[in-house]
Amino acid sequence: MRDPAGVRIEVTVNGEPVETDVWPGESLLFALRERMGFPGSKNACEQGECGSCSVLLDGTLVCACLVLAAQADGREVVTVEGIAGDGRLHAVQDAFVRAGAVQCGFCTPGLVVATVDLLAQNPDPSDDEIREALSGNLCRCTGYQKIFDAVRQAAGAA
């Protein structure tokens, strides 16, 4: 049943059309996780400081916690679930696994999406370019070295 106080949005998520009702102040992150069934993006700071909720919105890296769900109406969203294809991990996801860059996993979805975005723009980034591209993502477990190793491996695989 449609919520009379809600707003109906139509979004393409990971290549599939999705329709749902959202309330006017609802974040894209909440809508993705709770209404559309895409729990990969994590809810951590709700202030755009940690990057755990990073998604691609019309090809631009954004923190889904800072975007209103209604702003995504008619647009395309790619979450970490949409990065893989044909039943196989994306090269970035595979590199994160091989490098041991996945520990608790809370920051991983945002780091993977940010890395995919980086490598799409710059297939052979320097360490400084990696550091800059991932500067909006916080990790409390890895110390970042294994994450950097994963980015370098993924860049070599691309």
Side-chain angles (χ1 to χ4, degrees):
M1 173 168 218
R2 190 166 176 188
D3 179 356
V7 175
R8 171 66 67 171
I9 63 170
E10 297 178 19
V11 184
T12 301
V13 182
N14 302 329
E16 299 294 325
V18 179
E19 286 187 45
T20 191
D21 289 326
V22 298
W23 55 273
E26 188 170 302
S27 72
L28 176 58
L29 175 62
F30 184 88
L32 286 167
R33 290 179 57 80
E34 305 300 329
R35 300 200 189 277
M36 299 180 205
F38 296 97
S41 302
K42 303 302 182 211
N43 184 0
C45 74
E46 294 185 342
Q47 297 177 17
E49 296 291 329
C50 71
S52 293
C53 66
S54 296
V55 298
L56 298 173
L57 179 61
D58 288 339
T60 300
L61 186 66
V62 299
C63 289
C65 71
L66 297 180
V67 176
L68 292 176
Q71 290 176 295
D73 186 36
R75 299 174 77 183
E76 184 173 340
V77 176
V78 177
T79 68
V80 70
E81 293 96 336
I83 298 293
D86 298 326
R88 298 178 58 191
L89 293 177
H90 185 281
V92 170
Q93 292 168 318
D94 185 56
F96 268 69
V97 172
R98 284 185 291 110
V102 178
Q103 289 192 11
C104 83
F106 210 78
C107 67
T108 307
L111 283 162
V112 166
V113 174
T115 301
V116 167
D117 181 59
L118 166 64
L119 296 180
Q121 296 176 48
N122 181 355
D124 189 23
S126 67
D127 283 352
D128 285 342
E129 290 166 328
I130 295 169
R131 189 172 290 105
E132 176 67 25
L134 301 184
S135 66
N137 297 79
L138 300 178
C139 176
R140 292 178 177 91
C141 298
T142 65
Y144 297 96
Q145 186 57 50
K146 291 181 184 227
I147 293 168
F148 274 64
D149 293 345
V151 176
R152 286 187 213 100
Q153 283 182 30

